[in-house]
Amino acid sequence: GRLISRHSGLLLIGCMLQPAIFLSCRMRHSNDEPKKQEMLKGKINALGEEPVGTISLGRGEAAPSETTEYIISQKDAAVPLLVDVLNDDDALKNEKGLIKVAYATYCLRRLNSDKGKDGAARLAAKLQAKSEGRSFEEDFALGEILEYLAQVNGKSGSPN
């Protein structure tokens, strides 16, 4: 009788510990989500610091980097934050904003997401309206936007 009661006591302790460990793991995991989201936001904000990639026909092209690859690895979590970049009316006001727009559209293109289509089209129209004296960064952003829009609209690549 003593052996059975000791065994059931251990079993009871084991049954009580298991949910506690499970809850502890669940809480630790749920605490990681806001941290991941903050890290993702930080990486997207850092896109403005990215160097302009290769230069082809006088226009810069986005190139993969540690930052872009991290953002792309976050898949669906990254899409709304990238779309926010394209919906920001101040995005075209300075060089870093233009570079951020270029890399945000590059990431959306690599993610095969059409969610940024409206913002991208609006920014493209603004940049195209400035026919003379576009800066290198404006051409860079416009080129990435047009390439993204071409993909979203089912065309193959951009003419340049």
Side-chain angles (χ1 to χ4, degrees), residues 41-62:
K41 282 182 184 175
K43 294 280 188 189
I44 288 173
N45 285 332
L47 287 174
E49 306 295 328
E50 288 293 301
V52 175
T54 58
I55 297 175
S56 167
L57 300 174
R59 172 176 92 70
E61 292 181 359

Side-chain angles (χ1 to χ4, degrees), residues 9-10 25 32-34 36-37 40 66 77 84 87 90 95-97 101 111 131 153 160:
L10 287 173
C25 289
D32 284 348
E33 285 310 308
K36 271 183 159 177
Q37 196 68 3
L40 183 55
E66 191 178 315
D84 287 347
N87 290 331
D90 294 334
E95 289 178 9
K96 287 184 181 187
V101 163
L111 286 163
S131 58
N153 295 326
N160 39 337

Side-chain angles (χ1 to χ4, degrees), residues 15-150:
C15 288
M16 289 168 55
L17 277 176
Q18 198 170 5
I21 291 168
F22 174 75
L23 284 174
S24 164
C25 289
R26 292 279 304 164
M27 286 172 66
R28 191 175 309 125
H29 180 70
S30 67
N31 287 344
D32 284 348
E33 285 310 308
K35 286 179 194 156
K36 271 183 159 177
Q37 196 68 3
E38 282 307 305
M39 186 170 174
L40 183 55
K41 282 182 184 175
K43 294 280 188 189
I44 288 173
N45 285 332
L47 287 174
E49 306 295 328
E50 288 293 301
V52 175
T54 58
I55 297 175
S56 167
L57 300 174
R59 172 176 92 70
E61 292 181 359
S65 70
E66 191 178 315
T67 303
T68 61
E69 297 311 297
Y70 175 81
I71 292 167
I72 292 163
S73 77
Q74 300 304 301
K75 296 182 172 68
D76 292 341
V79 170
L81 298 171
L82 293 166
V83 171
D84 287 347
V85 172
L86 303 185
N87 290 331
D88 178 7
D89 285 333
D90 294 334
L92 303 180
K93 289 187 177 172
N94 59 48
E95 289 178 9
K96 287 184 181 187
L98 289 160
I99 292 172
K100 188 174 172 181
V101 163
Y103 275 100
T105 51
Y106 167 79
C107 290
L108 284 167
R109 182 166 51 88
R110 296 256 324 265
L111 286 163
N112 287 315
S113 171
D114 65 354
K115 303 263 190 298
K117 179 172 57 173
D118 295 340
R122 190 176 51 78
L123 293 178
K126 281 185 173 185
L127 287 168
Q128 286 172 323
K130 187 177 180 179
S131 58
E132 282 186 38
R134 264 197 310 259
S135 71
F136 179 75
E137 289 79 9
E138 287 170 326
D139 277 340
F140 173 50
L142 181 58
E144 289 300 326
I145 292 169
L146 293 177
E147 203 163 321
Y148 168 68
L149 289 172

